Amino acid sequence: MTILRRPSVAISLSVLGVLALAAILAPVLPLADPLRGDLMRSLEGPSAQHLLGTDTLGRDVLSRMVYATRVSLVVAAGAVLVALLIGAVLGMLAGYFGGKFDSVISFITDAYLAFPPILLAIAVLGAMGRGTVNTVGAIAFIFVPRFIRVARGAVVARRGEVYIDAAHVIGASTSWIIRKHVLPNIAAPIIVQAALAAGFAMLAEASLSFLGLGVQAPAASWGSMLGDASQQIYRQPLLMIWPGLAIAVCVFCFNLIGEAMRDAMRA
Amino acid sequence: MLQTLLRRLVRLVPTLILVSVATFSLTYLVPGDPAITLAGDAPTPERIAEIRADLGLHRPVITQYFDWVGGVVTGDFGHSIYGGADTVTDLIVQKLPVDISLAIGGLLVALLAGVPLGILAAVRRGSIVDRVVTAFTSVSVALPSYWIALLLVLLFAVNLRWLPASGYTPPTEDPVAWARGLVLPSIAIGLAMTAEIARQLRTALVDVLDQQYVRTARAKGLRGWVVIGKHAMKNAAITPLTILGLQIASILGGAVIIEQIFGLPGLGQLAIEAVLQRDIPVIQGVVMTAVLVVVVCNLLVDLSYIWLNPRARR
Amino acid sequence: MTEVLRVDRLHVDARVGQKWLPVVTDVSFAVRAGEIMGLVGESGSGKTVTCLSVLGLLPRTDVRVRTGAIWFHDRDLTAISRRDLEDVRGRSIALIPQEPSASLNPAFTVGDQMTEILRRHEKLGRAEARRRAVGLLDEVGIPAAASRLDDYPHHFSGGMCQRVLIAMALACNPEIIIADEPTTALDVTVQAQILSLIREKAAQHHAAVLLVTHDMGVVAEVCDRVVVMYAGQIVESADIVPIFHRPRHPYTERLLAATPRMVQHGEIDPPAFAYIPGSMPRPGTYATGCRFGPRCAFHEERCDAAQVPLRSLPEGNLARCVRTDELDFAETRSRA
């Protein structure tokens, strides 16, 4: 856990921590109602009353940003979690049991990667319909093959190890072996992959919401706010700076953490 | 070379089959009657029945699949469910030049910016220059390309009014306007690629510059830029190229949004419209096209890898 | 006899972490036209740094010449511009590198790499360059040279690669060739061939040779004069015959003793395999007096008193030893 001492990681974790905290505490914080807008005061710049200005419908941008933090973080984290669970299990089983099952899974994974991810997510949303929950599913769908690959790779690398055979010999059940020996070994690479994927998941959700396909009104994520802001680029250019900045900072932090973990694992 | 090419093509077939199955089954992702899905957002009973008969949905699924695939192979993706004289293929072909222009533009930006940056960082490794470049690449990767696009539009189109904010003019009509319209979108889409190329190239080059054969090249009295540009680059280009090839898929995804922002009438726009209208045949057509593009690009990357690395030839 | 290259009081520092430590201290020697000069020492002695500094081939971020000069005719190679240095390399001063297989670019054909040096320095056309390249490969003993021109380095064995590199070094008829441990990475059977090839070709092309090696056996084969280095300094310098018959520095004597030799048939009580206990000090950890002192069998207190100067001896050689007049290694050598 020495990587926690690295300044880049420490700062990233703090930033993410603050954002998460803001997200959780949103209802308790002294913010304006994110859903109520004063149409007389739409598209204003920053002022004492509205620190980040107002949007098209006169709603306070700052409070919308804080509430959007919830959506953006939850969707990204949720998608990664779902993808992780499905991918890790499939990958692990494929790596451990090998054979036909493995060949099929590997083959599907390779084919998967021929699809442009965003397009795939768009197609999935097209078929299933838009909305926050479907977005989590669509994004998870994109990331599953990455987790399968990582988990399978980690298991295959250790498949020949002596302690697995030894466990068999003493009559341990397959599930016990998997629990005790295989899982701990794939935990590290999976976690690294999760950190790296989190950033991309956030970008993916932002992209989809930006296009109007992901999170739908009245709920807002940074991506959808950016999408709204892009419509107002001539009338209130400042609007698009905040959500974009938030996304960039978050993704950057995730990437720093992921890369630091990956370097630590390699050492 | 030809042998390798053929072998690669053969290996692609099962993948393409799988992809086609997946794309085809998009219609069936939704529980319920596919005819209702295909009828769009406001289905009437007559419309549903009509679609049923039209598309032969009463036939077994397998037959439908093979029909569709048969069409795909001959370049026929069927018709948009919203009628219109154009087939899906027509629509795709109309829009394709836009994407090709964007791809070329983005690639140009990425190469013109990324390669020199990568070389600079590698040659001056450890210095301020190196650190600045590395920081730049790390940050660029995190920036949503559309945010950059919006910022570019804000600066160059709205404030400075140097370049158009949106719109596309075919090169056959007015080459200058075509080029001008593509500058900002190309930069937006090229930025992510630039960062990736610069970073990968730096890593590969740092490694190569330490090799004995580079020292031999220097000892022969070759000029510095020859040593780097010829001897080092041919060996260092391998990894970045492969990585870039693998990234084509994600780049295509980013293109969708860039097209939206800049109002470029490309496949991305087509896809989004189709999704909003749940026009499944169009979605299927676009996805298959995209996959084909990715596959072809990967194939090209594979082949160039063999050219760059004589040891891989068989 | 004219001097081709003269190293004059060279001091070179290398970066270790954040510090700059001396790796070459006060090295001076000259290479005369047509001779083969040996530069001998263990790894870490500074011999490679010295020879690579002549051509400026060490990365400037990690190695720099603190003071001193390297004279090639009337130009100081440490002070000329990069462009001028590039003109000298390959044409007037050539390099035969270590590790032949790693020293050829795997992405280009051997022909390409040979013609490029010819076209760079002599402005030859493509056809002419190819012809010259074939001739050179032929000269160094590569069979079917013409067809080999289009082969890649991985099609050549280590010995063949070294021949190619020798051909490249000879290509522009340089005045001096620096051979950096040319046989270290090769099989023993090939070593002798390569050495005699170097000697033969250097004589033929009227080139002097600076041969860097750690093996006194190699020195005995081909060198006319020898400079022995230890811990960044020259400890002895002499002609080939005197240094083998009567070394004047304990380290030289130990190097000679450590050279494996065949036991003669019928020899009774052959000498045990000699080795030098301890290891060479690393830069920054040198003793204040004689740097070899800690490992020397003849070490006395006065050896540590002050830095030992390199003394001229009556026979014309040089030695850096306080006790050189007292010690006589001739008798130990006569058994060899």
Side-chain angles (χ1 to χ4, degrees):
Chain A
M1 284 295 119
T2 45
I3 57 158
L4 288 175
R5 296 211 208 111
R6 271 217 227 165
S8 61
V9 174
I11 297 178
S12 304
L13 279 175
S14 319
V15 168
L16 290 174
V18 165
L19 286 171
L21 211 59
I24 299 175
L25 295 177
V28 187
L29 293 173
L31 296 167
D33 184 349
L35 298 177
R36 197 134 56 95
D38 186 354
L39 282 171
M40 302 300 278
R41 312 193 54 178
S42 71
L43 296 178
E44 285 181 2
S47 64
Q49 208 180 9
H50 298 283
L51 284 173
L52 296 181
T54 58
D55 70 352
T56 339
L57 298 179
R59 297 175 287 198
D60 179 38
V61 171
L62 177 60
S63 91
R64 294 208 85 212
M65 284 283 298
V66 174
Y67 276 89
T69 313
R70 295 181 145 190
V71 181
S72 296
L73 285 179
V74 164
V75 170
V80 168
L81 208 60
V82 171
L84 188 156
L85 287 173
I86 301 180
V89 167
L90 280 178
M92 199 171 56
L93 293 175
Y96 187 74
F97 290 111
K100 281 253 176 80
F101 182 62
D102 184 17
S103 315
V104 169
I105 297 274
S106 300
F107 178 61
I108 294 182
T109 313
D110 287 339
Y112 228 117
L113 291 169
F115 284 94
I118 299 287
L119 219 49
L120 194 58
I122 292 178
V124 167
L125 284 175
M128 292 176 56
R130 305 171 261 169
T132 314
V133 177
N134 287 358
T135 309
V136 173
I139 300 178
F141 192 57
I142 304 177
F143 283 105
V144 164
R146 270 191 229 193
F147 283 104
I148 293 184
R149 271 233 170 128
V150 169
R152 182 184 171 279
V155 172
V156 164
R158 301 215 180 18
R159 194 162 50 184
E161 299 278 340
V162 177
Y163 56 80
I164 305 260
D165 292 333
H168 272 303
V169 165
I170 64 169
S173 75
T174 312
S175 62
W176 187 88
I177 294 179
I178 291 183
R179 234 179 335 121
K180 276 252 128 152
H181 289 295
V182 177
L183 274 180
N185 281 321
I186 68 170
I190 291 275
I191 294 180
V192 171
Q193 185 67 35
L196 292 170
F200 288 118
M202 181 152 264
L203 280 174
E205 179 273 316
S207 310
L208 293 169
S209 303
F210 178 88
L211 292 170
L213 300 173
V215 173
Q216 302 292 305
S221 76
W222 290 331
S224 64
M225 287 179 73
L226 195 58
D228 292 338
S230 72
Q231 310 284 356
Q232 306 304 328
I233 195 171
Y234 289 101
R235 289 158 64 193
Q236 180 50 282
L238 284 179
L239 264 186
M240 63 183 207
I241 297 193
W242 318 115
L245 197 59
I247 297 172
V249 165
C250 242
V251 173
F252 191 51
C253 289
F254 276 124
N255 284 354
L256 281 180
I257 295 177
E259 279 173 20
M261 289 171 77
R262 186 178 53 190
D263 291 340
M265 239 191 40
R266 282 215 193 115
Chain B
M1 270 292 235
L2 195 60
Q3 266 190 337
T4 339
L5 179 64
L6 286 174
R7 241 182 293 132
R8 294 273 198 274
L9 281 174
V10 165
R11 259 191 256 161
L12 280 178
V13 172
T15 313
L16 286 173
I17 295 179
L18 185 67
V19 163
S20 65
V21 168
T23 317
F24 177 75
S25 52
L26 275 176
T27 356
Y28 299 91
L29 254 186
V30 186
D33 194 338
I36 299 185
T37 320
L38 283 170
D41 284 323
T44 63
E46 299 83 35
R47 180 96 183 105
I48 296 176
E50 201 183 313
I51 293 180
R52 261 240 155 68
D54 246 353
L55 301 174
L57 285 176
H58 49 282
R59 296 170 301 161
V61 179
I62 307 286
T63 326
Q64 293 179 46
Y65 170 68
F66 277 111
D67 256 5
W68 180 73
V69 169
V72 168
V73 168
T74 56
D76 176 17
F77 286 105
H79 290 257
S80 158
I81 61 176
Y82 288 95
D86 299 322
T87 61
V88 173
T89 320
D90 285 337
L91 289 172
I92 292 181
V93 166
Q94 272 172 24
K95 314 270 180 178
L96 208 50
V98 177
D99 294 277
I100 296 181
S101 310
L102 189 59
I104 296 178
L107 211 57
L108 265 173
V109 165
L111 287 175
L112 287 175
V115 170
L117 280 178
I119 294 181
L120 203 62
V123 168
R124 303 219 186 286
R125 135 182 43 162
S127 71
I128 290 281
V129 174
D130 184 15
R131 265 180 270 188
V132 166
V133 171
T134 310
F136 163 75
T137 56
S138 302
V139 170
S140 302
V141 168
L143 299 173
S145 55
Y146 37 96
W147 190 48
I148 298 290
L150 289 173
L151 289 173
L152 286 171
V153 168
L154 191 62
L155 180 61
F156 289 101
V158 177
N159 277 350
L160 294 174
R161 294 186 189 277
W162 285 349
L163 295 163
S166 66
Y168 174 80
T169 331
T172 46
E173 239 181 68
D174 182 355
V176 175
W178 171 72
R180 285 187 79 219
L182 281 174
V183 170
L184 291 181
S186 301
I187 297 179
I189 210 176
L191 194 67
M193 280 197 277
T194 305
E196 208 42 52
I197 290 183
R199 185 197 280 204
Q200 295 294 337
L201 191 58
R202 181 200 175 279
T203 312
L205 208 52
V206 158
D207 201 39
V208 165
L209 287 174
D210 275 343
Q211 298 294 319
Q212 300 267 24
Y213 55 82
V214 170
R215 177 190 287 179
T216 311
R218 291 221 170 94
K220 293 200 296 197
L222 299 174
R223 295 267 177 236
W225 51 268
V226 172
V227 171
I228 296 181
K230 180 182 171 189
H231 283 264
M233 279 300 280
K234 198 168 187 206
N235 288 283
I238 300 177
T239 322
L241 202 66
T242 338
I243 306 276
L244 197 66
L246 294 175
Q247 295 222 313
I248 299 278
S250 353
I251 294 167
L252 279 182
V256 169
I257 307 177
I258 301 289
E259 285 179 18
Q260 188 78 333
I261 296 178
F262 288 98
L264 301 171
L267 288 177
Q269 207 186 54
L270 189 64
I272 296 177
E273 270 172 26
V275 164
L276 289 173
Q277 297 172 336
R278 307 199 61 201
D279 191 346
I280 306 270
V282 174
I283 300 179
Q284 289 174 335
V286 172
V287 172
M288 276 309 285
T289 312
V291 169
L292 276 167
V293 166
V294 170
V295 158
V296 166
C297 283
N298 281 338
L299 195 64
L300 287 174
V301 166
D302 263 349
L303 292 176
S304 65
Y305 175 83
I306 294 181
W307 174 72
L308 280 177
N309 185 5
R311 277 181 290 204
R313 286 183 204 171
R314 201 149 285 284
Chain C
M1 257 223 277
T2 44
E3 278 176 1
V4 175
L5 185 75
R6 188 156 63 88
V7 178
D8 186 16
R9 285 164 295 183
L10 189 68
H11 290 255
V12 181
D13 294 337
R15 190 160 60 95
V16 179
Q18 299 293 2
K19 297 187 293 183
W20 287 86
L21 299 172
V23 288
V24 173
T25 313
D26 197 26
V27 165
S28 305
F29 62 88
V31 182
R32 303 187 202 130
E35 77 171 353
I36 301 185
M37 165 79 100
L39 190 56
V40 192
E42 292 171 71
S43 33
S45 58
K47 59 188 196 303
T48 308
V49 173
T50 306
C51 84
L52 290 179
S53 294
V54 172
L55 285 174
L57 288 174
L58 295 165
R60 257 181 280 192
T61 45
D62 297 327
V63 179
R64 65 178 180 212
V65 171
R66 192 164 18 111
T67 61
I70 300 179
W71 296 101
F72 179 66
H73 296 305
D74 55 350
R75 296 155 88 191
D76 177 6
L77 297 178
T78 63
I80 60 177
S81 71
R82 168 153 339 173
R83 278 192 77 85
D84 290 337
L85 191 58
E86 285 168 356
D87 287 331
V88 168
R89 289 176 186 157
R91 166 195 264 155
S92 315
I93 306 181
L95 177 75
I96 299 174
Q98 265 186 34
E99 293 187 60
S101 305
S103 297
L104 287 170
N105 194 327
F108 292 100
T109 61
V110 162
D112 201 319
Q113 297 185 55
M114 290 232 36
T115 53
E116 100 182 311
I117 191 177
L118 288 164
R119 299 184 71 191
R120 153 79 173 105
H121 289 296
E122 302 196 6
K123 308 280 186 259
L124 297 177
R126 194 172 310 190
E128 172 73 29
R130 265 186 85 93
R131 248 176 297 131
R132 279 273 293 275
V134 174
L136 285 162
L137 287 182
D138 210 23
E139 242 194 276
V140 296
I142 295 194
S147 62
R148 295 292 254 160
L149 220 50
D150 296 319
D151 281 340
Y152 285 89
H154 63 272
H155 293 140
F156 289 72
S157 70
M160 285 292 165
C161 281
Q162 193 60 296
R163 290 175 192 262
V164 170
L165 287 160
I166 293 173
M168 281 206 291
L170 295 167
C172 301
N173 291 305
E175 292 177 50
I176 177 169
I177 297 176
I178 300 179
D180 182 11
E181 304 220 39
T183 54
T184 307
L186 300 174
D187 290 337
V188 182
T189 46
V190 177
Q191 280 186 18
Q193 291 173 17
I194 295 293
L195 284 175
S196 68
L197 181 68
I198 292 178
R199 183 178 46 196
E200 188 192 316
K201 290 299 152 192
Q204 230 179 322
H205 286 252
H206 308 291
V209 178
L210 178 60
L211 180 67
V212 177
T213 178
H214 62 270
D215 187 349
M216 284 303 258
V218 167
V219 170
E221 285 261 356
V222 290
C223 295
D224 300 317
R225 289 197 301 144
V226 185
V227 167
V228 182
M229 283 185 71
Y230 182 83
Q233 292 175 316
I234 295 184
V235 295
E236 183 161 357
S237 164
D239 284 352
I240 188 77
V241 172
I243 208 169
F244 273 84
H245 281 179
R246 194 185 169 209
R248 301 304 300 269
H249 191 283
Y251 178 61
T252 316
E253 188 274 326
R254 287 284 87 203
L255 273 184
L256 290 169
T259 308
R261 63 169 191 90
M262 298 291 285
V263 172
Q264 303 298 344
H265 182 66
E267 187 170 334
I268 303 169
D269 195 13
F273 188 68
Y275 66 97
I276 313 177
S279 54
M280 177 151 15
R282 312 167 112 244
T285 64
Y286 301 142
T288 37
C290 172
R291 291 183 183 178
F292 184 59
R295 295 166 84 191
C296 185
F298 305 94
H299 174 254
E300 281 181 1
E301 256 189 49
R302 56 186 170 119
C303 299
D304 296 329
Q307 291 207 20
V308 183
L310 192 62
R311 268 178 44 201
S312 270
L313 300 174
E315 303 89 34
N317 42 2
L318 304 166
R320 193 188 295 266
C321 178
V322 176
R323 302 191 61 191
T324 187
D325 294 322
E326 308 156 21
L327 304 168
D328 188 350
F329 300 115
E331 26 179 274
T332 49
R333 290 316 301 153
S334 66
R335 283 199 292 144

